[in-house]
Amino acid sequence: MFNFVRKVTLFQLMNLRKFKADRIFTGKEFLSGSWVLTCTPEGEIVELTEEGFDTENIERLKGTLCPGFINAHCHLELSHMKGVIPKHTGLIPFLMDVVDKRDFPAEHIQEKMNEAVDEMYRDGIVAVGDIGNTANSIATKANGQLVWNNFVEILGFKEDQFDRIRQEYGHVLAQFRETENNLPEGKFKSSLVPHAPYTVGTKIFEWINRETRNLTISCHNQETPAEDELYGTGKGEFLKLLQKFGSKESPFPITGKSSLQSWLPHFNEQQKIILVHNTFTSAEDVDFAIDHAAQSLSGIYFCLCVNANLYIEDQMPPIEMLIDKKAELVLGTDSYSSNDQLSIAAEIRSIRKRLPNVPLEMILRWATYNGAKALDRLNSLGSFEKGKKPGVLLLDENLTARRII
Ligand SMILES: [Zn+2]
């Protein structure tokens, strides 16, 4: 404590803020209302202690104090698509609609991205794992108050276009990295990522593996049963989407295995991998992924975007099975093309409504500590620990979040 206090300025010391509430969620567990959270005016955690004799200047709040939320999966550059795509069409018609309808005037896209960042800030989100196929979101992200893991998402399964793909997405990544160098440390972390097993070919997977040693990456995973069918048999509904891109038959290896068991072994460079959606992932595949991660990765995370799954497929992911398997879960909002809001609090409420037996403490951990771990930001975010600046939220009884700091 003494060593740390010497590092904060006299001004900060005189203006420390102390909070008490009905209870405190630390990032890992609930503490009772007898605990006091002390932080600098800027939100750097000084200590979390039980209330003693010094009760002066404590701000007493109604509700639960909680570290800022981590949105592990979003597509900021699709923020202009709110209400554009009809609900419950299933994944493949959904994807075809996104491809057909995503072009809008650039100013309109910029305006909607700015609004989306403001909305996420108000919801208590402090960090975002954000997918982009372009560099369009750079200025919006650099100016706002959130921190970003920029996932430069590659769509490319035509092996003869490997050089073009590598050049195009390498250029997008270079723009993010260049901006990163001029921003405060940690504001941006940027990496290449595959979009999904049905849009990325073997050569590209292998290239992404080589380029992402020790980094966090993500991949959309098993959002529809057709994905397993594509790898298992080379047939199924995905052929319709592939035809749109000029492929008459599946360009992917027919492995006789699930898609996850077919592509995940391409990665063996100690990445942290966030598998997104997992709506149709089997228990056997979860075992496979956890085993593979233990040998070749530094972590595997299963991201739930429940409101998006309900929007597109009207289907919940197998949350209870994932809990049974002790999978590490994180939460995401996906984009406005498949969600009515970009709110982690709303994702938590949806899970609570459908699975009231899953403890709130567990879900809040997914939304805070686990998300920070997956995005490699545990040094500053995800929990109320001395020296971190994780954001301070107050949750009311309806699980609405309000930012305190
Ligand atoms: Zn997505």
Side-chain angles (χ1 to χ4, degrees):
M1 169 75 189
F2 181 68
N3 280 340
F4 174 68
V5 168
R6 279 199 309 179
K7 278 193 249 159
V8 303
T9 64
L10 188 61
F11 173 81
Q12 286 173 322
L13 205 54
M14 288 170 68
N15 290 282
L16 290 180
R17 294 185 69 181
K18 298 179 181 181
F19 300 105
K20 269 191 79 173
D22 298 329
R23 59 183 174 175
I24 295 180
F25 178 71
T26 64
K28 294 180 182 173
E29 60 184 349
F30 283 125
L31 298 178
S32 74
S34 65
W35 288 74
V36 179
L37 178 70
T38 305
C39 51
T40 66
E42 296 79 25
E44 188 168 325
I45 306 298
V46 175
E47 61 180 6
L48 184 57
T49 50
E50 280 201 274
E51 188 174 19
F53 295 113
D54 180 15
T55 56
E56 232 178 282
N57 299 326
I58 295 179
E59 298 173 52
R60 293 166 195 276
L61 304 165
K62 193 160 173 36
T64 302
L65 287 169
C66 177
F69 292 141
I70 312 293
N71 183 358
H73 183 72
C74 185
H75 304 240
L76 189 64
E77 66 183 20
L78 298 180
S79 296
H80 57 291
M81 298 193 73
K82 189 172 184 176
V84 171
I85 313 259
K87 291 183 178 175
H88 307 159
T89 60
L91 182 68
I92 291 153
F94 169 84
L95 291 169
M96 289 163 69
D97 260 355
V98 173
V99 173
D100 287 340
K101 297 177 180 170
R102 69 182 287 177
D103 290 336
F104 277 74
E107 313 82 69
H108 179 72
I109 294 177
Q110 287 297 336
E111 189 188 320
K112 293 297 167 187
M113 283 197 290
N114 288 335
E115 286 174 20
V117 172
D118 289 346
E119 181 190 346
M120 285 198 269
Y121 179 81
R122 284 196 306 274
D123 178 62
I125 291 168
V126 292
V128 187
D130 189 60
I131 302 282
N133 307 110
T134 71
N136 292 348
S137 62
I138 287 184
T140 306
K141 289 171 170 176
N143 292 330
Q145 299 193 61
L146 310 184
V147 301
W148 300 86
N149 284 54
N150 304 302
F151 296 137
V152 175
E153 182 193 71
I154 299 173
L155 294 151
F157 57 82
K158 293 183 176 162
E159 305 272 296
D160 59 350
Q161 293 185 12
F162 179 56
D163 288 341
R164 180 195 59 79
I165 291 165
R166 198 164 53 168
Q167 214 174 6
E168 183 183 327
Y169 292 101
H171 180 60
V172 175
L173 179 68
Q175 292 174 75
F176 276 102
R177 293 244 168 103
E178 209 172 288
T179 309
E180 186 176 320
N181 292 334
N182 299 316
L183 293 173
E185 203 189 332
K187 169 89 178 167
F188 275 12
K189 289 173 186 258
S190 309
S191 56
L192 297 172
V193 304
H195 165 252
Y198 52 83
T199 47
V200 173
T202 301
K203 220 167 159 181
I204 301 287
F205 269 127
E206 288 172 354
W207 173 58
I208 300 171
N209 179 49
R210 292 194 297 277
E211 296 289 322
T212 56
R213 184 174 170 73
N214 292 327
L215 300 179
T216 296
I217 61 170
S218 76
C219 188
H220 292 88
N221 182 53
Q222 293 171 310
E223 235 178 308
T224 165
E227 194 178 305
D228 284 339
E229 197 182 351
L230 183 69
Y231 274 85
T233 67
K235 303 259 180 300
E237 221 192 335
F238 265 115
L239 293 184
K240 281 188 208 160
L241 181 72
L242 292 164
Q243 269 162 16
K244 201 174 169 66
F245 296 106
S247 250
K248 286 207 174 74
E249 49 189 45
S250 173
F252 305 106
I254 299 167
T255 61
K257 297 177 186 168
S258 72
S259 89
L260 184 61
Q261 296 199 28
S262 304
W263 70 265
L264 190 62
H266 289 306
F267 290 94
N268 58 11
E269 292 284 3
Q270 296 302 316
Q271 297 91 343
K272 291 176 194 284
I273 300 189
I274 301 173
L275 301 174
V276 182
H277 293 306
N278 313 298
T279 334
F280 294 90
T281 304
S282 68
E284 196 189 341
D285 279 357
V286 175
D287 285 338
F288 176 88
I290 292 174
D291 281 353
H292 178 71
Q295 288 164 34
S296 306
L297 305 174
S298 66
I300 191 110
Y301 301 88
F302 294 80
C303 182
L304 308 173
C305 304
V306 166
N307 285 337
N309 302 148
L310 294 169
Y311 190 113
I312 299 171
E313 296 267 356
D314 199 18
Q315 170 92 21
M316 285 287 282
I319 296 178
E320 285 157 314
M321 180 273 283
L322 288 161
I323 294 170
D324 281 350
K325 294 282 176 193
K326 299 195 168 39
E328 291 197 88
L329 303 187
V330 297
L331 301 185
T333 58
D334 218 345
S335 76
Y336 261 135
S337 66
S338 60
N339 208 331
D340 296 322
Q341 65 277 305
L342 303 180
S343 161
I344 290 295
E347 299 294 318
I348 295 170
R349 291 195 294 272
S350 275
I351 297 171
R352 290 287 288 165
K353 189 173 154 196
R354 285 163 184 85
L355 296 169
N357 293 332
V358 176
L360 179 61
E361 189 176 56
M362 188 182 265
I363 304 172
L364 289 177
R365 186 182 171 124
W366 303 342
T368 57
Y369 185 87
N370 280 12
K373 191 176 172 198
L375 297 186
D376 203 15
R377 293 186 176 278
L378 267 188
N379 61 341
S380 56
L381 303 177
S383 59
F384 290 141
E385 288 174 89
K386 198 162 76 178
K388 290 191 179 187
K389 220 168 150 185
V392 180
L393 313 182
L394 186 69
L395 309 181
D396 69 14
E397 58 196 8
N398 300 316
L399 294 173
T400 302
R402 179 163 70 87
R403 285 185 90 105
I404 303 297
I405 293 182

